[in-house]
Short mmCIF file of all heavy atoms in Angstrom, two decimals:
data_model
loop_
_atom_site.label_atom_id
_atom_site.label_comp_id
_atom_site.label_asym_id
_atom_site.label_seq_id
_atom_site.Cartn_x
_atom_site.Cartn_y
_atom_site.Cartn_z
N MET A 260 -19.85 -13.26 -9.49
CA MET A 260 -19.03 -14.45 -9.82
C MET A 260 -17.59 -14.05 -10.13
O MET A 260 -16.60 -14.78 -9.88
CB MET A 260 -19.67 -15.29 -10.86
CG MET A 260 -18.80 -16.62 -11.25
SD MET A 260 -19.82 -17.52 -12.31
CE MET A 260 -18.91 -18.99 -12.15
N TYR A 261 -17.34 -12.97 -10.86
CA TYR A 261 -16.06 -12.56 -11.32
C TYR A 261 -15.51 -11.44 -10.43
O TYR A 261 -14.60 -10.72 -10.95
CB TYR A 261 -16.15 -12.17 -12.79
CG TYR A 261 -16.53 -13.50 -13.63
CD1 TYR A 261 -17.82 -13.57 -14.11
CD2 TYR A 261 -15.56 -14.55 -13.83
CE1 TYR A 261 -18.16 -14.80 -14.84
CE2 TYR A 261 -15.89 -15.63 -14.56
CZ TYR A 261 -17.28 -15.71 -15.16
OH TYR A 261 -17.61 -16.86 -15.74
N ASP A 262 -15.87 -11.20 -9.25
CA ASP A 262 -15.32 -10.22 -8.39
C ASP A 262 -14.01 -10.58 -7.77
O ASP A 262 -13.19 -9.66 -7.55
CB ASP A 262 -16.31 -9.82 -7.25
CG ASP A 262 -17.66 -9.36 -7.74
OD1 ASP A 262 -17.66 -8.70 -8.82
OD2 ASP A 262 -18.62 -9.57 -7.00
N LEU A 263 -13.62 -11.89 -7.73
CA LEU A 263 -12.50 -12.28 -6.94
C LEU A 263 -11.17 -11.69 -7.66
O LEU A 263 -10.38 -11.20 -6.94
CB LEU A 263 -12.40 -13.71 -6.99
CG LEU A 263 -11.31 -14.28 -6.19
CD1 LEU A 263 -11.24 -13.88 -4.70
CD2 LEU A 263 -11.33 -15.91 -6.25
N PRO A 264 -11.02 -11.71 -9.06
CA PRO A 264 -9.83 -11.11 -9.57
C PRO A 264 -9.44 -9.63 -9.27
O PRO A 264 -8.37 -9.22 -9.23
CB PRO A 264 -9.90 -11.23 -11.08
CG PRO A 264 -10.86 -12.32 -11.23
CD PRO A 264 -11.74 -12.32 -10.07
N ASN A 265 -10.50 -8.92 -8.89
CA ASN A 265 -10.44 -7.56 -8.55
C ASN A 265 -10.06 -7.30 -7.08
O ASN A 265 -9.73 -6.23 -6.60
CB ASN A 265 -11.63 -6.77 -8.86
CG ASN A 265 -11.95 -6.75 -10.34
OD1 ASN A 265 -10.98 -6.74 -11.07
ND2 ASN A 265 -13.17 -6.65 -10.67
N GLN A 266 -10.11 -8.45 -6.26
CA GLN A 266 -9.90 -8.23 -4.84
C GLN A 266 -8.39 -8.75 -4.56
O GLN A 266 -8.09 -9.87 -4.73
CB GLN A 266 -10.87 -9.13 -4.04
CG GLN A 266 -12.23 -8.58 -4.27
CD GLN A 266 -13.25 -9.40 -3.40
OE1 GLN A 266 -12.87 -10.04 -2.57
NE2 GLN A 266 -14.49 -9.10 -3.62
N GLN A 267 -7.54 -7.85 -4.06
CA GLN A 267 -6.14 -8.14 -3.95
C GLN A 267 -5.83 -8.88 -2.57
O GLN A 267 -4.90 -9.59 -2.60
CB GLN A 267 -5.34 -6.85 -3.87
CG GLN A 267 -5.42 -6.01 -5.15
CD GLN A 267 -4.94 -6.90 -6.24
OE1 GLN A 267 -3.88 -7.39 -6.26
NE2 GLN A 267 -5.62 -6.68 -7.44
N ASN A 268 -6.69 -8.85 -1.49
CA ASN A 268 -6.34 -9.25 -0.20
C ASN A 268 -6.94 -10.62 0.08
O ASN A 268 -7.05 -11.05 1.29
CB ASN A 268 -6.54 -8.29 0.84
CG ASN A 268 -8.03 -7.83 0.84
OD1 ASN A 268 -8.75 -8.05 -0.08
ND2 ASN A 268 -8.46 -7.26 1.89
N VAL A 269 -7.50 -11.44 -0.81
CA VAL A 269 -8.24 -12.68 -0.61
C VAL A 269 -7.14 -13.81 -0.46
O VAL A 269 -6.41 -13.92 -1.47
CB VAL A 269 -9.31 -12.91 -1.73
CG1 VAL A 269 -9.90 -14.30 -1.52
CG2 VAL A 269 -10.35 -12.00 -1.70
N ALA A 270 -7.09 -14.55 0.58
CA ALA A 270 -6.21 -15.62 0.80
C ALA A 270 -6.77 -16.96 0.32
O ALA A 270 -6.09 -17.84 -0.12
CB ALA A 270 -5.89 -15.63 2.16
N LYS A 271 -8.14 -17.11 0.60
CA LYS A 271 -8.70 -18.37 0.34
C LYS A 271 -10.21 -18.25 0.06
O LYS A 271 -10.89 -17.30 0.52
CB LYS A 271 -8.52 -19.16 1.54
CG LYS A 271 -8.94 -20.76 1.47
CD LYS A 271 -8.64 -21.31 2.83
CE LYS A 271 -8.80 -22.83 2.83
NZ LYS A 271 -8.46 -23.56 4.13
N VAL A 272 -10.70 -19.07 -0.75
CA VAL A 272 -12.20 -19.14 -1.11
C VAL A 272 -12.66 -20.47 -0.66
O VAL A 272 -12.20 -21.45 -1.17
CB VAL A 272 -12.47 -18.84 -2.61
CG1 VAL A 272 -13.92 -19.04 -2.89
CG2 VAL A 272 -11.87 -17.44 -3.11
N VAL A 273 -13.70 -20.56 0.21
CA VAL A 273 -14.25 -21.74 0.64
C VAL A 273 -15.63 -21.98 -0.06
O VAL A 273 -16.57 -21.18 0.14
CB VAL A 273 -14.47 -21.78 2.21
CG1 VAL A 273 -15.08 -23.00 2.62
CG2 VAL A 273 -13.16 -21.50 2.83
N ILE A 274 -15.77 -23.03 -0.85
CA ILE A 274 -16.97 -23.42 -1.51
C ILE A 274 -17.58 -24.70 -0.84
O ILE A 274 -16.80 -25.72 -0.91
CB ILE A 274 -16.70 -23.62 -2.97
CG1 ILE A 274 -16.18 -22.31 -3.61
CG2 ILE A 274 -18.04 -24.03 -3.70
CD1 ILE A 274 -15.78 -22.36 -5.05
N ASP A 275 -18.79 -24.50 -0.31
CA ASP A 275 -19.33 -25.76 0.44
C ASP A 275 -20.48 -26.22 -0.43
O ASP A 275 -20.90 -25.78 -1.54
CB ASP A 275 -19.71 -25.44 1.78
CG ASP A 275 -20.75 -24.29 1.95
OD1 ASP A 275 -21.17 -23.89 0.96
OD2 ASP A 275 -20.88 -23.90 3.08
N GLU A 276 -21.11 -27.21 0.10
CA GLU A 276 -22.42 -27.84 -0.53
C GLU A 276 -23.52 -26.79 -0.81
O GLU A 276 -24.13 -26.81 -1.94
CB GLU A 276 -23.00 -28.94 0.20
CG GLU A 276 -24.08 -29.64 -0.39
CD GLU A 276 -24.67 -30.83 0.58
OE1 GLU A 276 -23.98 -31.05 1.56
OE2 GLU A 276 -25.64 -31.38 0.12
N ASN A 277 -23.66 -25.88 0.21
CA ASN A 277 -24.78 -24.82 0.03
C ASN A 277 -24.40 -23.88 -1.20
O ASN A 277 -25.28 -23.48 -1.81
CB ASN A 277 -24.81 -23.99 1.33
CG ASN A 277 -26.04 -23.21 1.37
OD1 ASN A 277 -27.03 -23.48 0.83
ND2 ASN A 277 -25.95 -22.07 2.00
N THR A 278 -23.18 -23.60 -1.40
CA THR A 278 -22.65 -22.80 -2.43
C THR A 278 -23.07 -23.45 -3.82
O THR A 278 -23.55 -22.78 -4.74
CB THR A 278 -21.23 -22.51 -2.46
OG1 THR A 278 -20.88 -21.99 -1.21
CG2 THR A 278 -20.84 -21.57 -3.65
N ILE A 279 -22.82 -24.70 -3.86
CA ILE A 279 -23.08 -25.45 -5.06
C ILE A 279 -24.54 -25.78 -5.43
O ILE A 279 -25.05 -25.43 -6.45
CB ILE A 279 -22.27 -26.78 -5.05
CG1 ILE A 279 -20.73 -26.41 -5.06
CG2 ILE A 279 -22.62 -27.67 -6.42
CD1 ILE A 279 -19.89 -27.59 -4.90
N THR A 280 -25.22 -26.24 -4.42
CA THR A 280 -26.58 -26.62 -4.68
C THR A 280 -27.69 -25.49 -4.55
O THR A 280 -28.64 -25.47 -5.32
CB THR A 280 -27.03 -27.68 -3.63
OG1 THR A 280 -26.91 -27.13 -2.34
CG2 THR A 280 -26.24 -28.97 -3.73
N ASN A 281 -27.35 -24.51 -3.62
CA ASN A 281 -28.36 -23.36 -3.57
C ASN A 281 -27.78 -22.02 -4.21
O ASN A 281 -28.60 -21.13 -4.11
CB ASN A 281 -28.67 -23.17 -2.13
CG ASN A 281 -29.26 -24.43 -1.48
OD1 ASN A 281 -30.10 -25.14 -2.21
ND2 ASN A 281 -28.98 -24.68 -0.20
N GLY A 282 -26.67 -22.06 -4.65
CA GLY A 282 -26.12 -20.89 -5.40
C GLY A 282 -25.76 -19.66 -4.21
O GLY A 282 -25.62 -18.59 -4.66
N ALA A 283 -25.45 -20.17 -3.07
CA ALA A 283 -25.01 -19.18 -2.02
C ALA A 283 -23.60 -18.70 -2.42
O ALA A 283 -22.89 -19.42 -3.01
CB ALA A 283 -24.89 -19.91 -0.61
N LYS A 284 -23.30 -17.62 -1.85
CA LYS A 284 -22.01 -16.99 -2.18
C LYS A 284 -20.98 -17.73 -1.37
O LYS A 284 -21.22 -18.20 -0.20
CB LYS A 284 -21.89 -15.53 -1.80
CG LYS A 284 -22.77 -14.59 -2.62
CD LYS A 284 -22.62 -13.18 -2.30
CE LYS A 284 -23.27 -12.34 -3.29
NZ LYS A 284 -23.02 -10.88 -3.14
N PRO A 285 -19.69 -17.97 -1.91
CA PRO A 285 -18.65 -18.67 -1.20
C PRO A 285 -18.08 -17.78 -0.11
O PRO A 285 -18.20 -16.51 -0.11
CB PRO A 285 -17.55 -18.91 -2.31
CG PRO A 285 -17.82 -17.90 -3.32
CD PRO A 285 -19.36 -17.54 -3.28
N LEU A 286 -17.45 -18.40 0.84
CA LEU A 286 -16.90 -17.68 1.94
C LEU A 286 -15.39 -17.22 1.61
O LEU A 286 -14.65 -18.10 1.08
CB LEU A 286 -16.71 -18.59 3.12
CG LEU A 286 -15.99 -18.11 4.33
CD1 LEU A 286 -16.73 -16.89 5.00
CD2 LEU A 286 -15.83 -19.23 5.47
N LEU A 287 -15.21 -15.95 1.69
CA LEU A 287 -13.89 -15.38 1.36
C LEU A 287 -13.10 -15.21 2.64
O LEU A 287 -13.54 -14.54 3.56
CB LEU A 287 -14.03 -14.11 0.49
CG LEU A 287 -14.84 -14.16 -0.71
CD1 LEU A 287 -14.92 -12.66 -1.29
CD2 LEU A 287 -14.27 -15.05 -1.67
N ILE A 288 -11.83 -15.78 2.68
CA ILE A 288 -10.93 -15.50 3.79
C ILE A 288 -9.85 -14.58 3.27
O ILE A 288 -9.19 -14.77 2.29
CB ILE A 288 -10.27 -16.95 4.13
CG1 ILE A 288 -11.25 -18.02 4.35
CG2 ILE A 288 -9.36 -16.68 5.28
CD1 ILE A 288 -12.17 -17.76 5.48
N TYR A 289 -9.72 -13.50 4.09
CA TYR A 289 -8.70 -12.51 3.66
C TYR A 289 -7.39 -12.49 4.41
O TYR A 289 -7.34 -13.01 5.49
CB TYR A 289 -9.47 -11.05 3.93
CG TYR A 289 -10.65 -10.82 3.16
CD1 TYR A 289 -11.91 -11.18 3.64
CD2 TYR A 289 -10.55 -10.26 1.86
CE1 TYR A 289 -13.06 -10.90 2.89
CE2 TYR A 289 -11.65 -10.05 1.11
CZ TYR A 289 -12.95 -10.38 1.66
OH TYR A 289 -13.99 -10.08 0.75
N HIS A 290 -6.42 -12.04 3.78
CA HIS A 290 -5.12 -11.87 4.39
C HIS A 290 -5.25 -10.80 5.58
O HIS A 290 -6.01 -9.95 5.41
CB HIS A 290 -4.09 -11.24 3.42
CG HIS A 290 -3.65 -12.27 2.38
ND1 HIS A 290 -2.83 -13.33 2.64
CD2 HIS A 290 -3.90 -12.24 1.02
CE1 HIS A 290 -2.65 -13.98 1.40
NE2 HIS A 290 -3.25 -13.41 0.48
N GLU A 291 -4.50 -11.09 6.61
CA GLU A 291 -4.53 -10.00 7.61
C GLU A 291 -3.68 -8.78 7.20
O GLU A 291 -2.72 -8.87 6.53
CB GLU A 291 -3.76 -10.53 8.89
CG GLU A 291 -4.74 -11.42 9.69
CD GLU A 291 -4.09 -11.78 11.12
OE1 GLU A 291 -3.49 -10.87 11.60
OE2 GLU A 291 -4.27 -12.86 11.61
N GLN A 292 -4.35 -7.67 7.42
CA GLN A 292 -3.62 -6.48 6.97
C GLN A 292 -2.57 -6.13 8.23
O GLN A 292 -2.84 -6.23 9.34
CB GLN A 292 -4.57 -5.19 7.09
CG GLN A 292 -5.73 -5.33 5.99
CD GLN A 292 -4.96 -5.32 4.51
OE1 GLN A 292 -4.08 -4.58 4.25
NE2 GLN A 292 -5.58 -6.06 3.70
N PRO A 293 -1.39 -5.68 7.76
CA PRO A 293 -0.39 -5.47 8.78
C PRO A 293 -0.82 -4.20 9.62
O PRO A 293 -1.46 -3.19 9.08
CB PRO A 293 0.93 -5.03 7.97
CG PRO A 293 0.41 -4.89 6.56
CD PRO A 293 -0.90 -5.51 6.39
N LYS A 294 -0.66 -4.40 10.85
CA LYS A 294 -1.15 -3.35 11.78
C LYS A 294 0.01 -2.19 11.85
O LYS A 294 1.11 -2.43 12.04
CB LYS A 294 -1.32 -3.91 13.23
CG LYS A 294 -2.49 -4.93 13.13
CD LYS A 294 -2.93 -5.23 14.55
CE LYS A 294 -3.99 -6.08 14.73
NZ LYS A 294 -4.59 -7.01 14.10
N ALA A 295 -0.65 -0.99 11.80
CA ALA A 295 0.34 0.21 11.82
C ALA A 295 0.79 0.33 13.20
O ALA A 295 0.02 0.31 14.15
CB ALA A 295 -0.41 1.42 11.30
N SER A 296 2.04 0.57 13.32
CA SER A 296 2.69 0.80 14.69
C SER A 296 2.43 2.38 15.07
O SER A 296 2.69 3.35 14.32
CB SER A 296 4.07 0.60 14.50
OG SER A 296 4.69 0.88 15.83
N ALA A 297 1.88 2.45 16.34
CA ALA A 297 1.59 3.82 16.80
C ALA A 297 2.74 4.40 17.56
O ALA A 297 2.58 5.55 18.11
CB ALA A 297 0.27 3.80 17.68
N SER A 298 3.76 3.65 17.81
CA SER A 298 4.93 4.00 18.66
C SER A 298 5.79 5.17 17.87
O SER A 298 5.95 5.08 16.78
CB SER A 298 5.79 2.98 19.09
OG SER A 298 6.39 2.35 17.91
N LYS A 299 6.26 6.11 18.66
CA LYS A 299 7.05 7.13 18.02
C LYS A 299 8.41 7.16 18.71
O LYS A 299 8.67 6.93 19.84
CB LYS A 299 6.40 8.56 18.18
CG LYS A 299 5.18 8.68 17.29
CD LYS A 299 4.60 10.04 17.53
CE LYS A 299 3.36 10.15 16.60
NZ LYS A 299 2.76 11.40 16.68
#
């Protein structure tokens, strides 16, 4: 339940009815990581 403050790249947390009524984990939406450029 308190893991979220330790995660730096979470953009959004989605809590639905299943999360509330059945205790399911919420859906975590992460920020996209910048892609490293392979060009030289």
Side-chain angles (χ1 to χ4, degrees):
M260 180 175 194
Y261 296 103
D262 294 334
L263 187 59
N265 295 328
Q266 298 181 13
Q267 300 296 320
N268 59 341
V269 175
K271 187 177 190 179
V272 178
V273 179
I274 299 174
D275 61 6
E276 182 180 355
N277 193 35
T278 304
I279 296 168
T280 58
N281 298 325
K284 291 188 177 186
L286 176 64
L287 301 178
I288 309 295
Y289 295 94
H290 290 286
E291 281 192 33
Q292 296 295 325
K294 297 194 176 23
S296 177
S298 63
K299 291 183 179 182

